[in-house]
C-alpha cells in the first residue's frame, strides 16, 4: 500500500499545489496558518513537519519559529520533496527536507518542540504507530498537531457529497490527467476516522496528556492538538 501511495504522490507532485488551490479555493492556506497558531509555536523552537509534501506547512512554521528556530520536513515521496526544496530555494528559506517514512522517523527521542502532519496521516498504513513516532520525537509537554479531512454534517454534507463525487475527480482528471489519484483522495477521506474517532486513536497511544479536536470549515477539516506526556 505505502509503495503505491509513494508513487502516486510522486506522479502528481508537479500539479499538487495548483490542484490544492483549486479544490480548496485557496482556503488551505488559512487552515495551515491556524494549525501553526494552535501549535503555539514560539521563536527558537525546533519543529518537525511529517508528510510535508511540497512544504507549505513547513514554510508557515519557519516564519513562526523565527531565525533562531529550526524546521525539518520529511516525506517519503522524492517527487514532493524535490518541489519543497525548489520552493525553499526560490523563497530563500532555510528548511531541511529529508526523505523518511512517517512510521520510522530517523530522529532520537525528545528532540523537537512540535511535530505536525497535514493531510498525511490519512495515507499512512498504521495511524497509531505514526502518532507514537510523533510523540516519541517530541519533548514531554511539547505538542503534536494533526490537520486532516473530515466529513461535514448538516446541509453542507449534501453539497460536499456532490463536490467530492463529481468535482474533485473531474479537476484531478483535467489538471493532472489522473482521475484515479483524485478518486483515491475522495475514498480515503470517506474512510478516515475523523473527529471523536480520531481522538480515540490518540487516546490509544497512551502518549498524550491532553488532546483536543477542532472542527473547521463545517467539518470538512479537523485539527487535532495533543500535548505529549512524560514517559
Ligand atoms: C496529501 S499530501 C500532504 C502534503 C502536505 N503535508 C500538505 O499539507 O500539502 C500527503 C503527503 O504524505 C506523504 N506520505 C504519505 N504516507 C507517508 C509516509 N508513510 N511517510 C512519509 N510521507 C508519507 C505523501 O508522500 C504526500 O506528500
Amino acid at each position: 500500500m505505502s509503495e503505491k501511495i509513494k508513487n502516486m504522490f510522486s506522479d502528481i507532485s508537479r500539479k499538487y499545489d495548483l490542484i490544492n488551490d483549486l479544490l480548496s479555493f485557496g482556503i488551505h492556506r488559512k487552515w495551515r496558518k491556524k494549525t501553526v497558531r494552535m501549535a503555539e509555536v514560539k521563536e527558537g523552537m525546533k519543529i518537525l513537519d511529517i508528510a510535508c509534501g511540497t512544504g507549505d506547512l513547513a514554510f508557515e512554521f519557519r516564519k513562526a519559529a523565527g531565525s533562531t528556530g529550526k524546521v525539518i520536513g520529511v516525506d517519503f515521496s522524492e517527487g514532493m520533496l524535490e518541489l519543497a526544496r525548489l520552493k525553499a530555494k526560490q523563497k530563500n528559506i532555510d528548511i531541511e527536507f529529508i526523505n523518511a517514512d512517517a512510521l520510522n522517523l530517523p530522529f532520537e527521542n525528545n528532540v523537537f518542540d512540535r511535530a505536525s502532519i497535514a493531510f498525511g496521516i490519512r495515507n499512512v498504513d498504521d495511524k497509531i504507530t505514526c502518532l507514537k513516532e510523533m510523540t516519541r520525537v517530541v519533548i514531554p509537554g511539547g505538542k503534536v498537531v494533526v490537520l486532516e479531512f473530515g466529513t461535514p454534517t448538516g446541509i453542507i454534507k449534501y453539497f460536499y457529497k456532490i463536490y467530492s463525487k463529481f468535482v474533485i475527480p473531474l479537476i484531478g482528471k483535467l489538471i493532472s490527467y489522473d482521475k484515479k489519484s483524485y478518486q483515491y483522495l475522495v475514498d480515503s477521506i470517506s474512510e478516515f476516522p475523523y473527529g471523536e474517532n480520531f481522538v480515540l486513536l490518540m487516546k490509544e497511544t497512551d502518549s498524550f496528556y491532553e488532546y483536543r479536536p477542532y472542527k473547521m470549515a463545517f467539518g470538512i477539516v479537523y485539527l487535532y492538538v495533543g500535548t505529549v506526556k512524560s514517559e
Side-chain angles (χ1 to χ4, degrees):
M1 175 69 168
S2 53
E3 209 46 41
K4 214 172 116 189
I5 301 283
K6 195 191 290 189
N7 293 334
M8 183 188 87
F9 279 108
S10 285
D11 288 347
I12 62 168
S13 57
R14 305 250 147 220
K15 300 285 172 65
Y16 179 80
D17 285 349
L18 173 63
I19 296 190
N20 244 359
D21 275 335
L22 288 174
L23 290 181
S24 73
F25 309 104
I27 299 170
H28 69 100
R29 291 168 207 284
K30 269 189 151 177
W31 298 336
R32 289 176 208 285
K33 284 188 196 302
K34 176 151 185 183
T35 302
V36 172
R37 257 197 333 272
M38 297 298 282
E40 296 176 4
V41 174
K42 295 182 185 67
E43 176 103 27
M45 280 190 169
K46 215 175 157 195
I47 299 157
L48 177 67
D49 183 35
I50 297 158
C52 63
T54 60
D56 285 353
L57 183 60
F59 297 137
E60 286 299 326
F61 275 125
R62 194 74 198 78
K63 283 185 218 158
S67 56
T68 55
K70 182 165 177 63
V71 178
I72 297 180
V74 298
D75 200 288
F76 70 1
S77 155
E78 201 47 44
M80 297 292 260
L81 287 170
E82 266 173 30
L83 280 164
R85 291 182 193 120
L86 182 73
K87 282 161 71 178
K89 202 172 163 192
Q90 285 166 349
K91 293 170 192 270
N92 199 17
I93 296 177
D94 165 35
I95 298 182
E96 208 180 327
F97 287 107
I98 300 173
N99 194 321
D101 193 327
L103 299 176
N104 185 19
L105 295 171
F107 304 105
E108 303 281 317
N109 296 352
N110 309 335
V111 285
F112 293 97
D113 297 291
R114 303 287 184 262
S116 61
I117 185 164
F119 307 114
I121 203 158
R122 196 184 66 247
N123 306 296
V124 169
D125 288 338
D126 184 342
K127 288 154 189 49
I128 294 206
T129 301
C130 178
L131 286 169
K132 280 191 172 164
E133 273 296 86
M134 294 177 86
T135 57
R136 178 183 69 75
V137 299
V138 168
I139 57 168
K143 288 191 193 301
V144 163
V145 290
V146 179
L147 180 66
E148 191 49 271
F149 289 110
T151 301
T153 48
I155 186 95
I156 295 288
K157 182 168 89 180
Y158 301 102
F159 292 109
Y160 187 73
K161 259 193 178 162
I162 294 167
Y163 179 74
S164 52
K165 187 156 185 202
F166 300 107
V167 182
I168 296 179
L170 181 68
I171 291 185
K173 184 180 165 187
L174 293 179
I175 309 277
S176 71
Y177 309 110
D178 188 348
K179 190 175 169 191
K180 242 169 61 194
S181 297
Y182 284 86
Q183 187 55 52
Y184 163 79
L185 170 72
V186 173
D187 295 341
S188 64
I189 293 172
S190 69
E191 287 158 17
F192 184 71
Y194 65 94
E196 287 305 323
N197 287 329
F198 188 77
V199 170
L200 287 178
L201 295 185
M202 292 177 87
K203 192 174 175 188
E204 215 177 299
T205 64
D206 196 25
S207 307
F208 295 100
Y209 118 88
E210 191 187 57
Y211 33 79
R212 221 168 256 183
Y214 296 90
K215 190 176 177 178
M216 285 152 58
F218 307 100
I220 293 172
V221 293
Y222 279 77
L223 177 65
Y224 307 90
V225 182
T227 308
V228 177
K229 71 178 187 188
S230 31
E231 294 107 318

